[in-house]
Amino acid sequence: MKSFPMDQITDKSALCVRGLSKRYDNHQVIRDLNMTVPEGCIYGLLGPSGCGKTTLLNCIMGNIHYDTGSIYMSCKKQSQLGFMPQDVALIESLSIFEMFSYYGRMFGMSTNKIEARAEELKALLQLPPLESRNGCLSGGEQRRVSFAVALLHDPEFLILDEPTVGLDPLLSQSIWLYLVKLTTKTKKTIILTTHYIEEARHAHMVGLMRGGSILAEAPPMNLMSSHNCSTLEQTFLIFSQADEQSHKLPDETVNQEPSLKLRSPIAKQTSFSFSRFKAQLLKNTLYVTREVPLLLILFLMPIMQCTFQNVAVGHDPTQLPIAVVNHDHYDCAPHHHSHHTCDWDTPISCRFLSHLQRTTDTLHIVDKHNLLEAERDLKRNNVWGLLYFAPNFTQAIAARYVNASVLNTPDDVFDIGAVNIRLDMSNHVVANIMRMDLSSTLIDFLKELFHECNWPDTVVQLPMRIEEPIYGSRRPIFTHFQSPAILVAFDFYLPLLFTTGFLLHEKVSGVLERTMTVGLTPLELILAHLVLQVIITNLQTGLMHFIFYVLFENPFVCSVWLPFLLSFWQGMSGMCLGFFMTAVSNSHVMAMMGGTGIFFFVTFTSGVLWPLEGIHSSMREVIWWSPLALSTEAMRGITARNWPITHPHIYKAFMAITGWTAVFLIATYVVIKYRGFHYKK
């Protein structure tokens, strides 16, 4: 690299970079870079897109770690630094003044000082009215607002990443003139990146960057005159050609392990600041309350999901067609009325079918003339099953129960006097419900018949007495089993969805990186989001509990506070997983795919779809360590059995949630320590 004397500007350096290297995976972004920025000057960092300019700035500001080298800066505090990212990094739902207030509070500025500075910058940069929403501004207006945010606290050192990209030439010219004025009158130091090479003539010093290295740095006129060029672009071309033709040694850092320590020349904020926390909380609240689609998602989604689950899932099917072939009596129409006498002249098959239609909504009888037709419909799935009554069915029943004892009844009488049932067993739920309804209805019918004839109904009773259940009802409803699991899954997934979507939006738009650069600590970020999330989670939990246990009357035999606490605690674990997803994701697509995978995993492993006791034996012990398994069983135990918090299933669930929350937070801390909340494009 060719160096030039800099004593003609100043003897003191504001920034000194030596031997800097940075790589992503197998791609060397910065290689052995040296750079010196004098105090009180504009340093134009020139180079094509992708040459490493933005990565270099992030290393300087401490947003990402660098592998080798050293960086010295004259300013040591984040409050001395002003940063304008390449993206405007503005919150569209906030007004210009609200953006000023947010960043002003970050730097501890008073309200009066923020107002005065806002009016000064409005006049200086010809900003729109301060009450204008950022989302309603043009691209040029947004860039001027972003520039004003960087100037708001009057920093000593400005880092501007492509501040003039996409701007009108006149506006670009006015920005350059203002920057020159800043350095002349206030001796501020400015580093400015651009790929518009010719506009950098205004800079006191330029650095020509290509392929992750500085090819040369000097005052622009010196560079042009020393190479007999009339433009900076011609000069850059000469250096680029020489760099392309030069013989380069193999990269010495290729096999070097990247540093896991986030090294920064600027001291990062570590102490908690209530002013920054309050600013972050207020900004988050304004954003959420003004984004109507987001509010609809936050509160209509749980309402719709819980309602649809209770309406559409878990109820017994009704009006299932079942074919009936009655060779005992071909026309039961005259007999399809209620009988209350011991009349054996009326076909028993007709009386049973009448009883079946009267007592259950599950089945719908479809009369068929012969077995061939009924079996054809069964194979075509036109019906779910068939009932067949053999000829002389009534006489066989009479012979079995009236005319002879069971011991003296021939076998063929048993065969003729049996209701033959054939079902489509491909659907587990439908088949078992039909089988249960048919068997229980037949037993009830025979008991009713024997009662009318004053016979002991113990003849048709099984040698088993089913007492009143300890928990639940005699005929359990699958919705009652599934609802607590669905509730816990929503408690976990909705905060995960909101946290990931909200923070990732700020990360991708550059707002999060800019906020962290000005001094917001991870603790302040998490606590501010936690307060807002607590409010949202409580409202969502209250809505879901109301729908499940008040509106649809799922079993709830306990006090309110324990299931509500379990739901809230589960929501906090989902929020912490959202922090981790935000830290590791660089796009909404990546986060969406990860979140979807997690949701399906916890759904299949938490007992939502089926009892965990039915899982394969090889996974039975491991599956209880999934994030929602214990809490799902605990919610069922609390709401349906009134188990206290001292019950092993309950306190173990709280311990499991706490453990997973700690795991998510530790993983997030490791990722932030390694790479920060930096958005890698």
Side-chain angles (χ1 to χ4, degrees), residues 395-428:
Q395 289 81 354
I397 290 290
R400 179 174 180 176
Y401 292 110
V402 180
N403 301 329
S405 66
V406 174
L407 295 176
N408 297 325
T409 303
D411 291 342
D412 59 338
V413 173
F414 280 105
D415 293 336
I416 296 172
V419 182
N420 296 281
I421 302 173
R422 193 172 186 183
L423 300 177
D424 179 354
M425 299 295 291
S426 60
N427 188 307
H428 180 272

Side-chain angles (χ1 to χ4, degrees), residues 23 82 118 162 308 351 385 437 521 585 639 672 679:
R23 65 185 303 104
E162 303 277 7
F308 291 157
R351 295 185 63 179
D437 276 8
T521 65
S585 301
T639 57
I672 295 176
Y679 171 54

Side-chain angles (χ1 to χ4, degrees), residues 49-303:
S49 297
C51 71
K53 300 189 300 294
T54 299
T55 300
L56 173 60
L57 295 187
N58 279 302
C59 289
I60 292 172
M61 293 183 294
N63 291 336
I64 59 177
H65 76 273
Y66 50 92
D67 301 329
T68 60
S70 61
I71 300 176
Y72 164 81
M73 288 187 73
S74 59
C75 68
K76 301 299 182 182
K77 300 178 181 179
Q78 289 176 298
S79 59
Q80 297 174 299
L81 181 67
F83 172 54
M84 178 184 177
Q86 184 175 345
D87 299 322
V88 293
L90 300 176
I91 303 172
E92 295 184 352
S93 57
L94 267 61
S95 68
I96 298 175
F97 182 75
E98 287 168 345
M99 286 298 298
F100 288 162
S101 297
Y102 170 58
Y103 282 103
R105 291 190 182 96
M106 286 288 175
F107 292 109
M109 298 171 63
S110 65
T111 303
N112 292 336
K113 190 173 182 179
I114 293 173
E115 292 175 351
R117 186 64 173 158
E119 292 297 332
E120 182 182 342
L121 291 171
K122 178 179 181 296
L124 181 66
L125 299 176
Q126 300 178 2
L127 300 178
L130 297 180
E131 63 273 12
S132 303
R133 296 279 181 91
N134 293 313
C136 299
L137 305 180
S138 66
E141 290 172 334
Q142 288 183 342
R143 190 152 291 277
R144 277 182 281 166
V145 172
S146 181
F147 184 37
V149 169
L151 299 172
L152 180 66
H153 60 294
D154 195 24
E156 301 175 11
F157 200 117
L158 276 170
I159 295 180
L160 311 175
D161 192 3
E162 303 277 7
T164 60
V165 64
L167 292 186
D168 179 80
L170 292 178
L171 181 57
S172 297
Q173 179 74 7
S174 65
I175 289 177
W176 273 101
L177 292 177
Y178 178 69
L179 294 178
V180 172
K181 181 180 177 181
L182 279 178
T183 57
T184 302
K185 291 189 175 182
T186 62
K187 300 300 179 181
K188 297 184 185 299
T189 303
I190 302 172
I191 298 179
L192 182 149
T193 70
T194 180
H195 60 267
Y196 301 144
I197 297 176
E198 285 306 311
E199 72 174 8
R201 284 172 177 254
H202 299 285
H204 301 104
M205 173 84 62
V206 293
L208 307 182
M209 189 172 182
R210 183 177 185 270
S213 298
I214 299 291
L215 304 180
E217 60 179 5
M221 297 308 297
N222 290 9
L223 282 175
M224 290 187 294
S225 62
S226 63
H227 291 79
N228 297 320
C229 296
S230 59
T231 64
L232 265 178
E233 191 165 356
Q234 290 177 339
T235 307
F236 202 166
L237 179 61
I238 292 174
F239 277 99
S240 298
Q241 290 173 340
D243 179 64
E244 188 73 22
Q245 295 172 1
S246 64
H247 175 71
K248 296 185 177 180
L249 296 175
D251 188 357
E252 298 178 356
T253 64
V254 170
N255 297 321
Q256 184 173 0
E257 290 295 327
S259 171
L260 298 180
K261 184 178 180 181
L262 190 63
R263 293 179 283 187
S264 173
I266 301 177
K268 296 291 186 179
Q269 297 284 352
T270 56
S271 59
F272 181 84
S273 168
F274 183 76
S275 176
R276 292 194 298 266
F277 163 77
K278 183 179 177 181
Q280 181 73 3
L281 178 59
L282 180 61
K283 182 263 294 181
N284 292 349
T285 304
L286 288 174
Y287 173 78
V288 171
T289 54
R290 289 178 181 175
E291 290 290 335
V292 176
L294 178 61
L295 284 174
L296 292 177
I297 291 174
L298 287 176
F299 296 108
L300 281 184
M301 181 183 290
I303 292 175

